[in-house]
Amino acid sequence: MNGIEFLRWWHGDNLGHMELTFIWPAKRQPVRHPHIRTAWYTLPDEYERMATEARYVTELNDAGYGVYYGATLHGIQPPKVNGHATRPEDDTVCLAPGFWADVDLGGEEAVKREALAQLVDFHPAPSAIVDSGGGDHLYWKLAAPMLINTGIDAAELRATVRGLALALQSDTTVCNPSRVMRLPGYINTKPGREQRC
């Protein structure tokens, strides 16, 4: 499954704005170009535009940028700064297709196999497991998306994702509503990883 196929599965025909962000890993040698670049797509109408721009995404990934997508959709795109797209805040999230968890396993294959074996007994079972190149990203896709209309809704989303992280003893810092996750199909460019997600 490539990145666009994954996004079509995760976001489906839900309506909203999705962030695609390219991040230069902190531990890589510094560069003169921007450390973070962001693009926005209005879904579901712009899957085709995303497909036509896939070469640009690959070029950035080949140059060393990690490729991340917004796990949730936003009601508005943040304003540009000096002509450049910017990252969003939590308060613009309007929809979550489901929940997620980031189980960082340090890239060790034996540890990954053990972690996957333990997931057999986890309920509810994740809808998808993605090898991020350093661990596993787990996804629980909802039958109908969670609408985020109020701060209470956003707090419920955050609490659910945090609860999953606590239950899995995984990363509790990835529970914010505007979270980006590594996009499948691209190389994890963190030093020492350099494996395809």
Side-chain angles (χ1 to χ4, degrees):
M1 178 178 285
N2 66 33
I4 294 174
E5 289 168 339
F6 176 84
L7 292 172
R8 282 186 182 273
W9 169 76
W10 181 245
H11 286 303
D13 290 331
N14 292 315
L15 179 63
H17 303 284
M18 189 204 73
E19 162 191 15
L20 198 61
T21 287
F22 311 93
I23 301 174
W24 189 263
K27 293 184 179 178
R28 285 183 76 101
Q29 182 177 354
V31 290
R32 292 183 185 194
H33 48 71
H35 284 79
I36 298 177
R37 297 179 182 197
T38 299
W40 284 90
Y41 296 89
T42 302
L43 300 184
D45 295 342
E46 292 193 317
Y47 284 119
E48 294 306 318
R49 179 170 78 91
M50 198 180 304
T52 63
E53 294 176 358
R55 186 171 59 96
Y56 171 71
V57 175
T58 300
E59 287 173 1
L60 284 173
N61 189 225
D62 289 346
Y65 282 93
V67 181
Y68 300 84
Y69 76 97
T72 55
L73 296 179
H74 295 262
I76 61 169
Q77 295 179 25
K80 291 186 176 183
V81 174
N82 297 325
H84 297 284
T86 58
R87 302 237 27 248
E89 299 293 335
D90 287 345
D91 62 0
T92 62
V93 170
C94 67
L95 180 147
F99 310 119
W100 58 89
D102 180 356
V103 183
D104 191 355
L105 303 170
E108 299 293 329
E109 289 304 318
V111 177
K112 287 182 186 179
R113 283 193 300 274
E114 183 180 334
L116 283 173
Q118 291 175 358
L119 278 174
V120 171
D121 296 324
F122 190 83
H123 295 286
S127 310
I129 301 172
V130 175
D131 183 338
S132 72
D136 290 325
H137 290 175
L138 312 178
Y139 295 92
W140 290 264
K141 185 166 180 178
L142 298 170
M146 179 179 184
L147 300 179
I148 312 296
N149 296 315
T150 66
I152 294 171
D153 298 334
E156 182 180 345
L157 173 62
R158 180 187 295 271
T160 303
V161 174
R162 181 172 169 75
L164 285 167
L166 290 169
L168 291 161
Q169 298 180 354
S170 65
D171 190 347
T172 57
T173 66
V174 299
C175 60
N176 57 306
S178 61
R179 171 56 42 187
V180 291
M181 301 289 281
R182 196 174 293 281
L183 184 61
Y186 295 95
I187 300 295
N188 181 333
T189 57
K190 285 184 178 176
R193 300 279 171 86
E194 286 147 10
Q195 298 175 32
R196 190 168 300 278
C197 174

